[in-house]
Amino acid sequence: MHILYTTPHTPKPSAADTVHAVLKARILDGELAGGDMVGEQALADELGVSRTPVREAIGRLQAEGWLRVHPRRGAVVTPASPTERQDVLDARILLETYGVRTAVARGTTDTLTARLHEHLDSQRRAQSAGDLDASTEADADFHSALAAAAGNGVLDGAFAMIRDRHKRMTARALWRGEDIGRQVLEDHEQLIRLVGTGDCDGFATALAEHLRVHA
């Protein structure tokens, strides 16, 4: 079960917040796939809450597009649309490549490559430990850092909107086997090298191929 951790300065999450986080995590890591039913009572019993916060969480997830609520049937995980994968990949290529081009233009590639190495090291440790959740999170952080290199708050918001879909797609890719995980790490190393040399066109080509094969 996914657990929310708090600090002394962080308000304790409500029951609905906890249910929302658990359900969303299960959707993102593929435990709940498109078309799967979500049982209100079973989830309430599992998490030790009433059905009210479960219904509130389901309503929020429906508004976010992750669930569909059908009268007398309950909540169903929304399958990815036929065009969603390509739409997400196109958006990521645009945002991540723009981030790199901006970093090269501003002379901030050293800062960016240092940050990318940190995320790559985290992903490598997670894969070595067999921790799929942590590996997927580190992969998302790696690509987020590329987009964030533009230093544009509006674009950061746009990337945040597709980050969760990115994570769901990546989790499925990493499940295909250890060979895929190793290749992802090698691809990330190549992307860092291209950023470091300022080869924006080479980066764009390598990124598109990386996402086409592994996302």
Side-chain angles (χ1 to χ4, degrees), residues 146-166:
L146 291 167
N152 185 309
V154 174
L155 296 183
D156 288 346
F159 195 86
M161 291 177 64
I162 64 173
R163 178 183 167 111
D164 287 339
R165 286 174 173 79
H166 161 209

Side-chain angles (χ1 to χ4, degrees), residues 9 16 30 34 41 65 77 79-80 82 96 106 112 121 126 133 156 163 165 169-170 175 193 206:
H9 304 291
Q41 190 59 58
V77 178
E96 293 177 37
R106 293 176 177 171
L112 175 57
D121 289 343
D133 287 341
D156 288 346
R163 178 183 167 111
R165 286 174 173 79
M169 292 161 56
T170 303
W175 278 351
R193 287 194 296 270

